[in-house]
Amino acid sequence: MDHLIGLLLGTEQDWPRAYETLIARLGPIPGPDGTGHTLRTTRVTIEPFNLRDAPSHDLVIDRLAYWYYHPREWLKKVALMDDVYLLNSPFTFQSMEKHAAYCAMMRLGLHVPETVLVPYKNPVDHAKWAYTAERYNRPFDLDAVADGLGYPLFMKPYDGGAWVGVSRISDSAQLHAAYDASGARLMHLQQSVEGYDVFTRSLSVGPETMVMKFRPELPMHERYAVEHGFLDATAGDEVVTISRLVNAFFRWEFNSCECLVRDGVVYPIDYANACPDVALTSLHYYFPWAMTALVRWTAFCVVTGRRASLDMDTARYFAIADASGLSYPEKLAQYRRLADDYFAVDAYREFCDTALAHVPELVASWVASPDFDRLLVDTVRATYPPAEHDRFVAHFRGLIDLWRRENGA
């Protein structure tokens, strides 16, 4: 049986080339009934489509539709009419604008810092909105809002990404300067978690999560520290649980989650990312893991005939949140069971151990090959100015060699 996986892409080239190469080398995969399954990839193009057209794709990895309506509407059509499996659900994109994601996880009892949504500095340029704003917008004291949260705090776009428009605010002058600069962009004010012990960013693909130590103050190529055991078992398990909970709740299967850990308490601060960072020059050491996870999860979905769950079942999560007799750890444990059930964790692990047992060796062999090195060199040349090519090629080769040594490749 043949399966076609579509890649709906923006500007990235590194991980798509890696994924396409690995899928091409994957070979036939035995299905649950013993039937052989072959996977192919194609890059999705944007063109007119009839709503009754039958797509040829079994699964689509989407990296574009959050920002563009035409491909978004195509994704909605193939999900609703044709049962094409999607990474991620286009029906919860509004939650990826972070506001709903904050609200939902606060409702579930997670330690989200106190957050306030403030009105536009410059109202939307629309006659009806101007009429409404003139009559119904209440004057407010921005300093009083900030004082209620306490300095320092962060101002960040409610629909932000890649840290664009994020400001750390230490006093009233910075507060007003940042708000004035926000213009017609809707902003959150959020408490800062000061004195945290560690900043984590977790990348999740289906039921697999890699928790990485993140250093946001450094250049992008140095932000992911190659460091193991930086969280104790309890905090590490909570970070994984939060990542999986968020994704199961919103039907996201390719997402990243940022958490701060202070004195053993985990504070999720950003966990709605339509296009999580999987660049080779960012992940470096962790890039082979990301490609392994993406190959295994997409293969599992198409070979086993996994069906997308378009309804969200929020009531099951809220019933746990509202249960007065449950402690926070007990609620986390029940959320984890719901999330693990959504991602079919046990069935997935068994599938990886049997039908996909060769994938780790396949990835290791490829990472050690000249083909991977060409990808690395091409990516560096496309990312950095010529004067820095040699330095960064050596830098990333060193990190990849470390991964090979630690993984026996």
Side-chain angles (χ1 to χ4, degrees):
M1 185 176 295
D2 187 58
H3 300 280
L4 185 63
I5 296 175
L7 306 182
L8 183 57
L9 303 173
T11 60
E12 64 254 83
Q13 292 295 326
D14 50 357
W15 77 262
R17 279 178 56 185
Y19 179 79
E20 290 163 339
T21 298
L22 292 168
I23 290 294
R25 298 183 182 186
L26 196 55
I29 303 169
D33 61 356
T35 304
H37 295 256
T38 302
L39 277 57
R40 297 183 295 112
T41 61
T42 185
R43 299 196 178 191
V44 179
T45 55
I46 299 172
E47 53 195 290
F49 64 90
N50 187 302
L51 272 62
R52 288 190 171 86
D53 285 346
S56 54
H57 312 82
D58 293 277
L59 181 147
V60 174
I61 302 173
D62 165 44
R63 303 278 291 182
L64 185 68
Y66 179 79
W67 290 277
Y68 297 103
Y69 288 116
H70 189 280
R72 183 186 306 183
E73 300 315 306
W74 179 78
L75 288 178
K76 291 177 181 177
K77 170 262 186 294
V78 300
L80 289 170
M81 298 184 67
D82 309 295
D83 293 327
V84 174
Y85 201 93
L86 305 179
L87 277 63
N88 293 307
S89 170
F91 302 104
T92 54
F93 275 169
Q94 183 67 36
S95 299
M96 279 187 166
E97 291 181 338
K98 305 192 187 304
H99 183 75
Y102 285 147
C103 294
M105 293 305 113
M106 287 181 178
R107 168 75 185 273
L108 296 185
L110 302 189
H111 299 117
V112 180
E114 290 299 308
T115 306
V116 174
L117 185 71
V118 294
Y120 301 104
K121 171 63 179 181
N122 299 327
V124 179
D125 185 15
H126 187 284
K128 289 185 177 180
W129 174 255
Y131 179 92
T132 299
E134 181 180 350
R135 285 158 178 76
Y136 299 112
N137 271 20
R138 295 184 60 184
F140 69 98
D141 186 338
L142 184 63
D143 286 296
V145 174
D147 289 341
L149 292 171
Y151 291 105
L153 52 85
F154 284 89
M155 180 179 289
K156 49 189 180 180
Y158 94 109
D159 59 350
W163 295 61
V164 174
V166 177
S167 302
R168 178 180 164 86
I169 308 295
S170 299
D171 54 39
S172 177
Q174 292 179 354
L175 172 71
H176 286 274
Y179 188 53
D180 290 345
S182 68
R185 198 166 191 182
L186 203 55
M187 307 296 281
H188 280 126
L189 291 177
Q190 188 172 79
Q191 281 182 341
S192 173
V193 179
E194 292 295 290
Y196 60 82
D197 302 310
V198 65
F199 192 132
T200 72
R201 179 178 277 182
S202 308
L203 177 62
S204 293
V205 181
E208 297 202 45
T209 297
M210 177 62 71
V211 181
M212 297 165 282
K213 186 175 182 179
F214 194 64
R215 302 171 296 187
E217 72 280 2
L218 297 180
M220 198 65 230
H221 67 278
E222 294 181 334
R223 287 184 183 176
Y224 294 97
V226 181
E227 186 174 332
H228 311 306
F230 59 89
L231 292 175
D232 64 38
T234 301
D237 186 67
E238 183 173 347
V239 171
V240 171
T241 296
I242 289 171
S243 301
R244 197 171 295 172
L245 164 62
V246 167
N247 294 345
F249 186 92
F250 287 111
R251 306 314 193 221
W252 300 336
E253 303 187 6
F254 194 9
N255 187 35
S256 63
C257 174
E258 293 178 358
C259 293
L260 303 177
V261 182
R262 184 181 67 189
D263 298 331
V265 179
V266 179
Y267 300 88
I269 59 169
D270 185 3
Y271 38 86
N273 296 287
C275 290
D277 182 16
V278 284
L280 172 55
T281 51
S282 299
L283 293 185
H284 45 76
Y285 174 92
Y286 299 102
F287 186 76
W289 171 86
M291 293 300 99
T292 301
L294 191 59
V295 166
R296 292 199 295 199
W297 179 243
T298 51
F300 171 78
C301 291
V302 298
V303 172
T304 63
R306 178 175 166 87
R307 299 292 294 269
S309 179
L310 302 183
D311 58 310
M312 293 173 59
D313 272 343
T314 55
R316 293 203 298 164
Y317 293 89
F318 291 156
I320 297 170
D322 297 342
S324 58
L326 294 178
S327 67
Y328 179 65
E330 289 170 335
K331 290 181 180 181
L332 282 181
Q334 292 201 26
Y335 294 147
R336 179 66 171 264
R337 282 194 286 272
L338 290 181
D340 285 354
D341 180 63
Y342 172 76
F343 284 112
V345 169
D346 291 340
Y348 172 72
R349 288 174 178 163
E350 181 180 358
F351 188 81
C352 289
D353 290 342
T354 54
L356 299 178
H358 64 300
V359 170
E361 183 178 347
L362 169 69
V363 173
S365 175
W366 171 67
V367 170
S369 72
D371 183 57
F372 178 86
D373 193 65
R374 281 192 295 272
L375 172 64
L376 187 152
V377 172
D378 289 347
T379 303
V380 167
R381 288 175 176 171
T383 306
Y384 299 102
E388 298 183 350
H389 287 176
D390 290 346
R391 176 169 75 91
F392 278 112
V393 166
H395 174 74
F396 293 122
R397 278 176 175 164
L399 289 164
I400 293 299
D401 285 346
L402 175 61
W403 180 87
R404 290 176 57 195
R405 292 195 301 272
E406 292 188 356
N407 289 272

